[in-house]
Amino acid sequence: MKKILVLEDESNIRSFVVINLRRSGYEPIEAENGTEALEKIKVNPDICLALLDVMLPDIDGFEVCRRIRATGSKMGIIMLTAKSQEIDKVTGLMTGADDYVTKPFSPAELTARVDALIRRLGVDEDEKASVEVSSGPFVLNTRNRTLEKNGVRLKLTQIEYLLMKLFMENPGKAMSREDILSAVWGTDFAGELKTVDVNIRRLRIKIESDPTEPEFLTTVWGYGYKWGY
Ligand code: CA
């Protein structure tokens, strides 16, 4: 059974989430504050996804997210945000979260998001052959899901990896933000197009020498993006 960390300080919401995850065949690991969450992750290195509440009594959910990513972990991360926290959605994506769910959410909505992210993370798991895609100074390895630029490994989130894979496999092709959203986040992801822009911006910081003058991941004005190398 796949382990999912549930970080939520409000016990009634936490139990609600835990019950629904169990019903969907997952093994929830509970934490009621940020410190406890990080400890649980340490003793359960096989946790594949974390649901992180933002407002917590000790360290906030974004800081927990940052610390998880700082360890090099590629687990899926979904932020649980309150409705008024529009800005938090963007901050969440910038700190390395893969998705967010706005409170209050229905059990169906939550498990749909969890299932979708688990599917995205496992897309290449069964691929036996090591496949490398090269473009300019970049080499993408679809077996171990890594990216190198001039032989140096770049630290990517799963979403950033999937974006690079999409672009590098379609060199020179202009792709609309809608196409990118459905290819990377899935057709069942009711996300905003802004999500694409936020992640592209973050990816550029990692892959471009000058993110303000992108050489590889270029903008197609009024349409979307293109792997321009
Ligand atoms: Ca809370």
Side-chain angles (χ1 to χ4, degrees), residues 30-46:
E30 296 181 54
E32 58 179 0
N33 59 55
T35 313
E36 192 189 348
L38 292 165
E39 277 163 14
K40 292 263 166 96
I41 288 170
K42 235 180 251 172
V43 287
N44 295 280
D46 53 338

Side-chain angles (χ1 to χ4, degrees), residues 210-227:
D210 179 1
T212 60
E213 291 284 339
E215 181 188 353
F216 306 105
L217 191 38
T218 53
T219 301
V220 181
W221 295 107
Y223 187 70
Y225 299 93
K226 182 175 84 167
W227 187 249

Side-chain angles (χ1 to χ4, degrees), residues 7-10 13 53-57 80 103:
L7 168 57
E8 169 64 68
D9 58 320
E10 282 165 68
I13 300 180
D53 180 29
V54 175
M55 302 294 282
L56 295 163
L80 306 176
K103 293 180 191 175

Side-chain angles (χ1 to χ4, degrees), residues 167-175 220 225-229:
F167 283 112
M168 287 179 69
E169 287 176 343
N170 294 281
K173 186 185 171 193
M175 276 178 285
V220 181
Y225 299 93
K226 182 175 84 167
W227 187 249
Y229 192 76

